Amino acid sequence: MTENVWNYDETTARQQGIDLRGFKVEAVDGAIGKVDKHSDEAGSAWIVVDTGVWIFGKEVLLPAGTIARIDVDEERIHVNRTKEQIKNAPEFHREKHLDNPDYHDELAAYYLPGTPFGGPF
C-alpha cells in the first residue's frame, strides 16, 4: 500500500526524460519552492524541494503520489497538498533520509489516503 504514494499518477502528465530540477513547486495554497533533485524510479519516485525562505531554507521530500500535475511549458509542478501539510511532514535531512527505507515508510504513512494529511483532494 505504501508503494502507491511513491508512483506518479497517470494524470500528472509526467514525461520521461524531462529534468525537473529548477521547476517551481506549488501547493494548493501557494508556492513552496523549487525542485533541487528528483527520482523517477518505479515504486520510489520523489522530488526534493528547496523551500528557500518559506521554511527557513529547509528541504522537503515529496513522494510522486503527492504531485497532481506537471506543466513542462511553465516549468511548474502542482502538488495536491497544502503548505501546512507539507510543513508538518516528518522532517527531512538529505544525508540521513534520501535513501532511507524507514523514512520513506514514515513519509508514506503521513501522506497516504485516509490519514489526516493524505489525499487526494
Side-chain angles (χ1 to χ4, degrees):
M1 187 161 161
T2 60
E3 291 179 8
N4 293 337
V5 78
W6 297 105
N7 290 315
Y8 287 99
D9 188 276
E10 58 189 44
T11 62
T12 62
R14 175 70 178 121
Q15 299 173 18
Q16 292 299 318
I18 301 291
D19 187 355
L20 301 176
R21 287 178 295 176
F23 277 42
K24 294 178 183 172
V25 182
E26 299 275 338
V28 295
D29 55 352
I32 62 167
K34 292 184 177 183
V35 175
D36 184 54
K37 186 173 177 74
H38 65 94
S39 169
D40 289 335
E41 186 178 330
S44 184
W46 44 260
I47 59 174
V48 172
V49 181
D50 180 347
T51 64
V53 296
W54 175 56
I55 47 177
F56 309 109
K58 293 192 176 195
E59 294 179 318
V60 295
L61 180 74
L62 295 176
T66 65
I67 297 173
R69 182 170 50 92
I70 299 173
D71 186 327
V72 175
D73 294 333
E74 290 190 21
E75 295 190 355
R76 192 170 307 271
I77 296 174
H78 299 269
V79 296
N80 57 11
R81 301 297 190 277
T82 66
K83 292 166 82 172
E84 188 70 17
Q85 290 170 318
I86 294 165
K87 186 177 179 180
N88 291 330
E91 191 169 347
F92 173 69
H93 297 283
R94 184 188 294 241
E95 305 79 28
K96 184 177 177 182
H97 296 131
L98 193 58
D99 295 317
N100 182 320
D102 292 333
Y103 177 76
H104 284 220
D105 288 345
E106 179 182 6
L107 200 60
Y110 177 81
Y111 283 120
L112 277 175
T115 63
F117 297 114
F121 290 109

